[in-house]
Amino acid sequence: MCGIAGLYYPHTPKPVDPARIVGMTDALVHRGPDGSGVWTVPGVGLGHRRLSIIDLATGSQPMQTADGAVVTVFNGEIYNFMEVRADLEALGAQFETHSDTEVLLHGWRAWGPDMLRRLNGMFAFAIYDVAARSLFLARDRFGVKPLHYAELSDGAVAFASELKGLLAHPLVRRAADFHAVEDFLGLGYVPDDACIVAGVKKLPAGHFLLLERGKPVPQPKRWYDLDFTHRAKGKTADLEAELVDLMRRAVQSRMISDVPLGAFLSGGVDSSAVVAMMAEASKAAVKTCTIGFDEADHDETAHAQAIAERFATRHSIRTVAADDFALIDTLVGAFDEPFADASALPTYRVCQLARESVTVALSGDGADESFAGYRRYRFHAAEEKIRGLLPESLREPIFGTLGRLYPKADWAPRPFRAKTTLLALAEGGEFAYPKAVGVTRPDLRDQLYTDGARKALGGHAAEQRYVDAMRNAPARDALDRAQYADFQHWLPGDILTKVDRTSMAVSLEAREPLLDYHLVEFAATLPPALRIRAGQGKWLMKKALEPWLPKEILYRPKMGFVTPVSAWFRKALAEEAAALPRSRFLAQTGWFDLKAIERLAADHRAGRAEHGRTLWQLLMLERSLTRLFG
């Protein structure tokens, strides 16, 4: 696991100052504290920060072929690199190291961009082909590893693993993109097709960018897309066996490491399944770690302890305060862009705990997206069935009228909060689902903006990318479309960004076996009834794991990392919320109606409304914007 950065001049091969590359990689030292390297020739410079995981002796980067014709810098892991290496050796390639990085060099020579389809792993890398004078940038299928790039005023294209690596270059202009602010307030994160710094782009998941000398910078090209159009056939028992076999292979392939390795263990289904299969494959006790909370309503340590005892792991537990908001500024620095998933707080703490004993940790991320584990999938599928009972021309008059008349009751028990559901039923599923997965709803965002800000948006709405993804999804039904859209936006923008930044901030490599593409593609073929049944998400997965895990783990209500932000803004962070309308930076932007923010905070504090998540967003936005542009 590493940090990479570089410069490429597509028009004129200007000399590259190695010190400039060093400056960019030094900003990424947390991603690679074990070593660094720089390689430059006229027109290109590549830099690397190394976190040593595999081939500690000879895996240094930038790495080049023996004849110097191909050079690469690489962030990530290729889990099937030994298989790919064997194929390349059969074609005559001669390897000088035992590193998975060298597979990229020979793979590029043998197959060019088609090499990507042969790789099973998490990665973002750059390959410079000396003879072709081209630079190839690529990112893994689901966006586990990040890559940012920007065109500079001197003609260079700069790239780096994180935004802070780009910002270390003096020609990267620091100006905020208000469209990205809208995206953040709508979704809770800045998605991969946007960036808070105007002019900076992120290479999307499953895409590559081929830069060639003398040619303009092209648009990224998609090399991978998840397909939901096929349906698995066969007996349920056979599908269960196939699922377990794929999970077992995925876990075992991610246990290859030359440094200490462990696992995050929350006590939920996904992390427990990963630990179970690690224990099966390991001769030594698996190292596991859990974060507990000092409030019983948020604490899952008893469930994690039960799994640790069941599989005889070497288990570490650390209890933190549920109001662990002292980390806010640390997270703002780690994420660069505003990020409002408050579960980043405990995720950072569990990464800290893991790093005390291991350098690599396996996580359970990805199964909820693949096997429909989120409650919102069940709601969306049920709503689509109801929508199907009425023609579109009647849905709005009936459900819309009822929704507008029904009182808003954020304070009430969930069964009595029907207003949102009724209004959702009045819309098409592709319009309702993005609001369900989002944070601050469009009408509230509109109230927070000034007239000038609304005009500047020019109709841009955070949810539109979801609408487009669901309409164009390679899918058969509503559940497929929702999951596909989440793979395009929520997974890389929220979940994987959270894990990458928090783990890399403490120099820990996190691996996600449940995002092995063979397993994800298998899940995408499952009929909806095998994903959601009898009110249970991940139905087939849970059924297949019954021989492995106790039913009280498999079928207990999903909890996850819950942070009580609403309570914070009525107590410990109430003054922070009250200070937001007085923010000098927010006032200078001209984007926000500060009186509206003041009312929002006052209504929340008094209990007249529920605005905790929006206040958290505004707080993280203000801190991030001030850090980046203040």
Side-chain angles (χ1 to χ4, degrees):
M1 190 60 61
C2 308
I4 64 174
L7 293 168
Y8 174 76
Y9 288 91
H11 305 295
T12 303
K14 296 180 180 181
V16 175
D17 182 358
R20 186 141 290 173
I21 306 297
V22 170
M24 296 170 70
T25 56
D26 280 353
L28 307 172
V29 65
H30 53 286
R31 299 186 74 92
D34 297 333
S36 63
V38 172
W39 178 89
T40 65
V41 294
V44 65
L46 304 178
H48 187 261
R49 293 290 323 193
R50 187 183 188 198
L51 178 62
S52 301
I53 303 293
I54 292 175
D55 191 12
L56 306 186
T58 62
S60 297
Q61 300 181 44
M63 184 180 288
Q64 54 188 310
T65 52
D67 59 4
V70 185
V71 190
T72 190
V73 285
F74 164 47
N75 169 29
E77 304 287 350
I78 308 300
Y79 302 119
N80 67 333
F81 79 95
M82 292 302 294
E83 301 164 31
V84 179
R85 174 176 174 143
D87 292 341
L88 289 165
E89 287 176 329
L91 295 174
Q94 296 184 353
F95 284 77
E96 298 184 340
T97 75
H98 300 288
S99 170
D100 55 345
T101 305
E102 193 175 2
V103 163
L104 302 179
L105 296 172
H106 295 291
W108 174 259
R109 275 185 152 172
W111 304 306
D114 288 342
M115 165 185 66
L116 294 169
R117 302 183 187 279
R118 299 171 181 263
L119 305 179
N120 185 358
M122 56 179 184
F123 52 81
F125 60 78
I127 293 177
Y128 183 67
D129 188 314
V130 174
R133 298 187 300 171
S134 64
L135 183 72
F136 181 72
L137 304 175
R139 194 172 176 204
D140 62 63
R141 290 170 177 81
F142 305 123
V144 179
K145 294 291 102 185
L147 192 62
H148 299 67
Y149 69 100
E151 296 181 58
L152 307 183
S153 59
D154 67 346
V157 175
F159 67 89
S161 294
E162 295 181 25
L163 181 57
K164 58 176 61 70
L166 285 183
L167 294 176
H169 195 294
L171 292 185
V172 175
R173 179 171 169 265
R174 294 199 185 208
D177 186 340
F178 181 54
H179 285 71
V181 173
E182 154 71 8
D183 295 334
F184 165 72
L185 289 175
L187 302 175
Y189 55 90
V190 180
D192 269 9
D193 58 1
C195 184
I196 199 70
V197 177
V200 174
K201 300 177 181 179
K202 302 165 191 168
L203 186 64
H207 284 68
F208 69 75
L209 183 65
L210 180 60
L211 302 169
E212 298 178 273
R213 187 64 46 76
K215 296 183 180 180
V217 177
Q219 291 298 310
K221 185 174 181 179
R222 182 187 290 277
W223 68 269
Y224 180 81
D225 200 11
L226 184 58
D227 188 354
F228 282 85
T229 61
H230 304 288
R231 287 289 183 258
K233 298 178 181 179
K235 297 179 180 179
T236 299
D238 294 334
L239 294 174
E240 289 178 29
E242 185 175 357
L243 190 159
V244 169
D245 180 62
L246 288 168
M247 287 182 66
R248 183 185 282 118
R249 291 170 182 266
V251 169
Q252 291 177 357
S253 70
R254 284 155 180 80
M255 292 177 68
I256 299 173
S257 174
D258 294 332
V259 295
L261 175 144
F264 302 134
L265 178 58
S266 69
V269 174
D270 308 332
S271 65
S272 297
V274 170
V275 168
M277 293 183 180
M278 289 178 72
E280 178 192 65
S282 177
K283 294 180 180 179
V286 175
K287 296 178 181 179
T288 55
C289 58
T290 297
I291 287 294
F293 296 99
D294 61 1
E295 293 184 11
D297 290 346
H298 305 289
D299 189 64
E300 292 187 284
T301 54
H303 302 292
Q305 183 66 42
I307 294 299
E309 292 174 0
R310 183 182 182 96
F311 297 104
T313 73
R314 289 175 55 189
H315 192 50
S316 300
I317 300 175
R318 181 165 297 160
T319 300
V320 299
D323 58 349
D324 191 22
F325 46 77
L327 270 179
I328 289 176
D329 287 333
T330 299
L331 293 181
V332 168
F335 282 85
D336 295 325
E337 296 186 282
F339 188 80
D341 185 340
S343 67
L345 296 165
T347 303
Y348 182 90
R349 291 300 189 199
V350 79
C351 289
Q352 274 187 317
L353 177 59
R355 190 62 178 90
E356 292 177 6
S357 57
V358 302
T359 310
V360 178
L362 273 62
S363 83
D365 293 301
D368 284 316
E369 290 80 9
S370 296
F371 292 94
Y374 293 125
R375 181 174 57 190
R376 64 177 182 257
Y377 292 140
R378 302 198 296 276
F379 289 169
H380 178 66
E383 288 172 1
E384 282 291 79
K385 288 182 180 179
I386 295 173
R387 289 186 187 99
L389 299 176
L390 288 174
E392 186 176 349
S393 59
L394 294 180
R395 288 203 304 264
E396 205 293 324
I398 295 175
F399 293 124
T401 301
L402 289 172
R404 287 185 287 273
L405 293 174
Y406 199 94
K408 185 167 179 57
D410 290 334
W411 49 267
R414 184 169 295 277
F416 298 101
R417 286 184 268 165
K419 186 179 187 72
T420 300
T421 300
L422 290 168
L423 291 175
L425 289 171
E427 299 182 289
E430 72 272 24
F431 295 103
Y433 184 73
K435 296 173 185 174
V437 77
V439 183
T440 298
R441 62 184 188 273
D443 61 313
L444 182 54
R445 301 200 304 270
D446 189 66
Q447 293 173 34
L448 296 177
Y449 295 149
T450 61
D451 290 341
R454 294 188 201 97
K455 185 176 181 180
L457 285 176
H460 175 78
E463 294 83 5
Q464 186 60 45
R465 57 179 48 82
Y466 256 88
V467 174
D468 295 340
M470 294 178 76
R471 284 178 170 173
N472 300 320
R476 287 193 175 195
D477 61 27
L479 180 60
D480 292 343
R481 287 189 283 275
Q483 288 181 253
Y484 178 83
D486 277 347
F487 265 93
Q488 300 302 306
H489 302 298
W490 160 267
L491 183 69
D494 186 299
I495 300 301
L496 296 178
T497 294
K498 175 181 65 179
V499 176
D500 176 80
R501 301 305 190 277
T502 54
S503 60
M504 286 283 88
V506 298
S507 304
L508 175 76
E509 176 175 298
R511 298 177 178 177
E512 292 84 7
L514 303 185
L515 278 176
D516 185 285
Y517 81 94
H518 297 295
L519 180 62
V520 173
E521 289 177 351
F522 166 81
T525 69
L526 294 176
L530 294 185
R531 285 175 263 165
I532 298 176
R533 183 182 295 187
Q536 284 285 336
K538 297 189 288 195
W539 183 84
L540 185 73
M541 179 179 172
K542 293 176 180 178
K543 189 81 168 48
L545 291 171
E546 285 183 353
W548 299 70
L549 302 176
K551 289 190 175 182
E552 56 267 27
I553 294 293
L554 287 171
Y555 297 107
R556 72 182 179 89
K558 182 176 176 61
M559 190 172 180
F561 279 146
V562 179
T563 45
V565 292
S566 289
W568 293 353
F569 286 112
R570 292 191 176 107
K571 297 176 183 177
L573 290 182
E575 289 304 314
E576 294 279 1
L580 283 169
R582 302 193 297 271
S583 166
R584 181 180 302 176
F585 190 86
L586 290 185
Q588 288 175 347
T589 65
W591 297 331
F592 295 102
D593 182 338
L594 300 183
K595 289 292 185 183
I597 295 178
E598 186 176 13
R599 289 191 298 271
L600 188 88
D603 287 347
H604 180 82
R605 184 172 183 175
R608 292 188 293 269
E610 174 50 60
H611 293 310
R613 294 180 72 193
T614 297
L615 288 170
W616 180 254
Q617 282 189 289
L618 290 170
L619 178 61
M620 298 303 286
L621 177 66
E622 197 273 342
R623 295 284 181 91
S624 296
L625 292 177
T626 300
R627 183 183 179 93
L628 287 170
F629 310 111

